[in-house]
Amino acid sequence: MIDWTPTPEQVNTVLGALYEVQDALRRLWFALGLSEPLAGQPVWPWAQRLHGELMVFEPGQARRLLLCAAALAIAFPLMGLAVFWRRARWPGLVAAVALLAAAPWGVFGLLAGPALPSSFHVSDSGFSARSIVRGQAVYHQHCQRCHAADGGGEGPDAPALPMWPPRLNGRLLWQRLEGELWWRVRHGLQDRDGQTTMPGFAQALSEADTWAVLDFLQAQASGQTLAREGRWELPVRLPDAQVRCGVAPELRPLRSLQGQRLLVASGPGVALPLDPRVLAVGQGAALGSDCRVIEAEAADFQQALALVLGQPQDPARGKTPAQQLLVDRQGWLRARAPAGQVWSAADLVCRTGSVEARQPPSQAQDADPLGALVAAMDADPVAPRRGGVPH
Ligand code: HEC
């Protein structure tokens, strides 16, 4: 038992539980009237929180955390027994104290680290195309001068700063909790001596605009990673938009189609094949699509997709060919190919790396390219983390 090392999946579960317990604690504190709301959500009232990232590199810490949880889970009922059943008083107490003394509490010291009042805040923007496009405008107005148009950190004002802005078009955003990014954009950053390294934007930006600029940054970082490395190294969701499906008159968000695989056209006029394994989401008067993005959101949706695809935004550089995108049942963007082209295994640009070994034989690929891709995608579910938290 003591030699057991948790698998990555088990570590993920412990990470998720660690997050949930802390999140529940902040909600409980709020429900008891002990903390204030901020931007409509309960604050995290303490200066420290438990950071789980370390467990990814040292799974042994996850085991120690589980042992502490087990010690508490057994010791409390034992103490209860000791209180209510006189004959069990001394054995019960001794066993409870021994268990508590033996638990490896040191793990809490290792996992504790600084927290912010909005550490556990979650965005309510839904990663919608509208929010991403709004965030792009905010970024151009307020952030680009330091962080550069592509988020690379070499904006025109950057050389005069006490430190270079970090690259926002790679992994960094995925290493942070979104609530902590939100706080830093609103309240700025200081170095160890208390000198301002980045100004805060709480006066200039609404709370929603702050979430929007983070949505934009994430969309842009995904697209730039794809353009640079040919992969969505860190999974990104399909931007949300309102669609109309079949002849039903009511609107529904794309998010509500989660649970089904989607085949999405990145531009108008793309004919999507009707296939029972995927739900086709077209635009404009697309032929054969099951659902269509509504006219009022089509422009935002196309722009958001161009961002996550890393397609040039500059119209002078010419129109980029429309793409077809494959979305898995959990809502993650997984594969992309030029519209009208036959799918190939290489189009699966969001994968965990273990799928190569499981790729179908090439005859199967030739006979049914979409089926082969769907099988490869389903066999390789992604379990993304954000700031060490599965999400
Ligand atoms: C005056 C220049 C400047 C402007 C304007 C600016 N930033 Fe920054 N930003 C920086 C610098 C410098 C850092 C690194 C600060 C540090 O690590 O102490 C930074 C860091 C960041 C980070 C990383 C935070 C982290 O957790 O490591 C994010 C995200 C960010 N900026 C977003 C934005 C957004 C969004 C805007 C516009 C609303 C913006 N910045 C405007 C200079 C700027």
Side-chain angles (χ1 to χ4, degrees), residues 98-376:
L99 259 176
L100 290 177
W105 299 111
V107 64
F108 285 99
L110 287 176
L111 298 185
L116 294 167
S118 63
S119 282
F120 290 89
H121 273 50
V122 285
S123 172
D124 52 10
S125 74
F127 200 56
S128 69
R130 189 160 273 178
S131 170
I132 294 169
V133 172
R134 169 78 196 129
Q136 187 170 23
V138 169
Y139 185 82
H140 285 158
Q141 194 186 343
H142 296 285
C143 325
Q144 186 165 315
R145 64 187 172 96
C146 293
H147 286 284
D150 66 353
E154 297 179 10
D157 287 2
L161 298 173
M163 73 184 286
W164 280 94
R167 282 183 45 193
L168 298 179
N169 56 11
R171 304 186 67 94
L172 183 123
L173 297 174
W174 279 264
Q175 290 163 347
R176 306 277 194 263
L177 289 181
E178 56 183 354
E180 297 193 338
L181 289 173
W182 186 84
W183 182 271
R184 288 178 188 143
V185 172
R186 294 189 69 70
H187 301 282
L189 282 137
Q190 291 82 35
D191 63 15
R192 273 198 214 119
D193 308 324
Q195 293 287 334
T196 296
T197 50
M198 169 172 139
F201 290 87
Q203 303 298 324
L205 299 183
S206 69
E207 285 154 0
D209 279 354
T210 314
W211 288 122
V213 76
L214 293 176
D215 280 344
F216 161 72
L217 283 175
Q218 196 182 1
Q220 170 168 266
S222 303
Q224 303 239 338
T225 315
L226 181 64
R228 242 184 357 249
E229 296 161 27
R231 289 184 59 189
W232 275 312
E233 192 198 351
L234 296 146
V236 60
R237 285 194 176 284
L238 174 68
D240 203 5
Q242 297 286 326
V243 292
R244 219 174 240 124
C245 295
V247 289
E250 71 269 17
L251 301 183
R252 56 191 297 180
L254 272 172
R255 187 75 73 244
S256 70
L257 301 174
Q258 208 165 319
Q260 311 191 56
R261 304 182 199 97
L262 307 182
L263 183 62
V264 181
S266 80
V270 175
L272 295 170
L274 273 187
D275 188 302
R277 292 165 296 194
V278 291
L279 196 75
V281 179
Q283 294 183 46
L287 296 168
S289 45
D290 301 302
C291 300
R292 281 166 315 283
V293 176
I294 61 164
E295 206 50 43
E297 297 200 3
D300 284 353
F301 189 61
Q302 285 160 33
Q303 197 171 334
L305 286 187
L307 279 168
V308 295
L309 286 163
Q311 291 177 329
Q313 295 289 297
D314 179 4
R317 279 195 270 171
K319 265 180 83 75
T320 41
Q323 305 267 316
Q324 46 186 349
L325 301 111
L326 195 58
V327 179
D328 70 16
R329 292 182 192 276
Q330 284 72 42
W332 301 109
L333 284 168
R334 301 297 301 274
R336 58 94 183 89
Q341 219 168 72
V342 176
W343 289 100
S344 84
D347 295 329
L348 191 66
V349 284
C350 173
R351 49 177 185 255
T352 61
S354 57
V355 77
E356 262 82 3
R358 296 193 220 137
Q359 255 170 31
S362 62
Q363 298 102 315
Q365 177 74 44
D366 294 345
D368 178 12
L370 180 60
L373 199 65
V374 163

Side-chain angles (χ1 to χ4, degrees), residues 33-75:
L34 298 171
S35 66
E36 298 291 314
L38 168 69
Q41 299 184 38
V43 292
W44 176 256
W46 300 285
Q48 300 256 307
R49 68 176 176 91
L50 295 176
H51 295 240
E53 294 89 324
L54 181 68
M55 292 192 281
V56 177
F57 309 103
E58 294 181 28
Q61 305 300 346
R63 186 194 62 213
R64 297 176 71 198
L65 200 63
L66 284 177
L67 286 175
C68 291
L72 280 175
I74 302 173

